[in-house]
Amino acid sequence: MQSSHFGLDHLDQLLLQEEWGRLPHAELPRAERTDAKRRGVGTGGGDDGCAACPPELSPVYAVLPGLIRLITECTDRPIEKFRPTIKRMILEQLFMEVGGDSIVDAQQMMRVNLYVELTVRVLVRIRRRDHDTRGWADAPVTPQMFG
């Protein structure tokens, strides 16, 4: 499979772009909404895989590979149960050190909920895609006797 410098599969990047375009950008400050429209974010603009995803999504790019591994290992838990973990991981990516103190930028803090929602949506779609490709079913299986 093809992967990028983000550590994400190309299909996962496309899912991220698609979900970013579907999210209402009403939570973003007005200047960022107009900037997103100008760049073509959410309108299908951009010619390569990363052009449509703005650089402010770097926290999502950073946490997504680890979260994909987590949901692959914990298939018995719904994605919604991981919401607090996702929020903590995104907050860890937003910390910066200023004068020896770890802080989160106030503008970034306003976007954390948007990042969490975006990440949850992408993980749900990735899990659904993986279930479909692996042929998983919810039907009970008859026990097999060996020996």
Side-chain angles (χ1 to χ4, degrees):
M1 288 221 160
Q2 191 179 22
S3 66
S4 71
H5 61 280
F6 297 115
L8 284 177
D9 183 273
H10 183 67
L11 294 174
D12 298 339
Q13 284 185 19
L14 292 176
L15 278 175
L16 181 62
Q17 283 178 310
E18 189 176 328
E19 288 300 326
W20 175 248
R22 287 182 180 180
L23 277 178
H25 291 95
E27 294 180 36
L28 292 175
R30 184 182 188 110
E32 289 182 35
R33 279 195 308 253
T34 57
D35 188 43
K37 286 181 185 175
R38 184 177 46 78
R39 286 191 320 242
V41 175
T43 62
D47 33 358
D48 68 357
C50 299
C53 284
E56 65 261 10
L57 287 183
S58 60
V60 178
Y61 276 116
V63 301
L64 210 48
L67 288 168
I68 291 171
R69 283 191 303 273
L70 181 67
I71 67 163
T72 303
E73 293 171 1
C74 303
T75 57
D76 58 333
R77 294 183 68 192
I79 302 292
E80 287 295 321
K81 294 282 186 179
F82 292 111
R83 215 174 254 278
T85 303
I86 294 168
K87 186 172 184 174
R88 277 194 302 265
M89 290 176 74
I90 288 174
L91 283 171
E92 284 176 7
Q93 294 298 316
L94 297 175
F95 277 117
M96 59 184 181
E97 194 167 313
V98 176
D101 296 330
S102 295
I103 63 167
V104 176
D105 185 18
Q107 288 181 328
Q108 292 283 17
M109 194 59 190
M110 293 181 348
R111 290 186 235 140
V112 168
N113 291 334
L114 183 66
Y115 292 156
V116 170
E117 182 62 31
L118 173 65
T119 307
V120 167
R121 288 181 177 200
V122 170
L123 291 174
V124 165
R125 291 198 52 197
I126 288 172
R127 181 179 271 179
R128 188 176 305 139
R129 181 191 68 204
D130 287 348
H131 278 259
D132 291 343
T133 58
R134 291 183 187 154
W136 291 11
D138 292 332
V141 179
T142 308
Q144 299 291 321
M145 300 294 289
F146 293 101

